[in-house]
Amino acid sequence: MDFSILTLVVGGGLGGLIGALVMNVFMLVVSRWFSERVDMTKAVGSLCTGNLKNARATGTLVHSLSGFIFGVVYLILFDLTQLTDISYLILLGAGIGFVHGLVVSYGLMFVVSERHPIEQYRTATIEIGLLHLIGHVLFGLTVGLGAGLIFSLAG
């Protein structure tokens, strides 16, 4: 399907915001079980501000904006494949999320953690990388589900 730019931006952006919310909730729940270091919104926020004050709010804003942008990118990729079946789009979303998660996890473990201004976030283990990978797969699944719904409604 060839969607208008407006449909791709609004639909992808909304799907990305919902996907970011799903990922944020997953990472928050895991951080309560596993380690404070997995609290992605605080880690992102404190990376931006250099301190923990208002880190969760800043991190949520930054991650939501990123989710919006990546949601649009995912929807453009879905549109380019010409796949419209919701099950294919969910699987494609999971696959793109997996690759996206690999890139982010690698960057987190080998680049970002070493330069983080807050000491508790300077150690990124393989477990933390794996949790971020799972979070990105959940993001992709959510965006894929949203895309499938948009495509099915569009006809």
Side-chain angles (χ1 to χ4, degrees), residues 37 105 108-110 113 121-129:
R37 293 182 301 136
S105 295
L108 173 71
M109 291 189 312
F110 299 108
S113 65
Y121 296 115
R122 288 190 194 137
T123 304
T125 63
I126 192 75
E127 292 86 0
I128 291 173

Side-chain angles (χ1 to χ4, degrees), residues 56-100:
R56 182 166 284 125
T58 302
T60 299
L61 179 65
V62 169
H63 194 250
S64 296
L65 180 60
S66 297
F68 185 96
I69 292 166
F70 278 102
V72 172
V73 171
Y74 278 43
L75 196 59
I76 290 169
L77 293 173
F78 296 158
D79 191 41
L80 290 173
T81 68
Q82 298 294 309
L83 296 172
T84 57
D85 185 86
I86 194 166
S87 58
Y88 290 129
L89 291 168
I90 290 171
L91 290 173
L92 182 59
I96 295 171
F98 183 81
V99 172
H100 185 182

Side-chain angles (χ1 to χ4, degrees), residues 3-152:
F3 284 107
S4 70
I5 298 295
L6 181 63
T7 301
L8 293 171
V9 170
V10 172
L14 183 60
L17 285 172
I18 295 168
L21 176 66
V22 167
M23 185 175 171
N24 286 351
V25 169
F26 168 74
M27 297 301 285
L28 186 62
V29 168
V30 169
S31 75
R32 303 235 197 249
W33 291 340
F34 182 66
S35 167
E36 179 80 11
R37 293 182 301 136
V38 183
D39 189 339
M40 180 189 60
T41 55
K42 269 177 82 174
V44 169
S46 60
L47 179 65
C48 294
T49 65
N51 62 60
L52 291 172
K53 185 179 180 186
N54 298 321
R56 182 166 284 125
T58 302
T60 299
L61 179 65
V62 169
H63 194 250
S64 296
L65 180 60
S66 297
F68 185 96
I69 292 166
F70 278 102
V72 172
V73 171
Y74 278 43
L75 196 59
I76 290 169
L77 293 173
F78 296 158
D79 191 41
L80 290 173
T81 68
Q82 298 294 309
L83 296 172
T84 57
D85 185 86
I86 194 166
S87 58
Y88 290 129
L89 291 168
I90 290 171
L91 290 173
L92 182 59
I96 295 171
F98 183 81
V99 172
H100 185 182
L102 283 176
V103 171
V104 170
S105 295
Y106 179 81
L108 173 71
M109 291 189 312
F110 299 108
V111 179
V112 176
S113 65
E114 295 175 359
R115 294 169 178 80
H116 202 287
I118 307 299
E119 187 173 341
Q120 76 185 44
Y121 296 115
R122 288 190 194 137
T123 304
T125 63
I126 192 75
E127 292 86 0
I128 291 173
L130 180 60
L131 291 170
H132 281 271
L133 177 64
I134 293 167
H136 283 86
V137 170
L138 290 172
F139 175 84
L141 286 168
T142 304
V143 176
L145 174 63
L149 294 173
I150 289 169
F151 289 3
S152 66

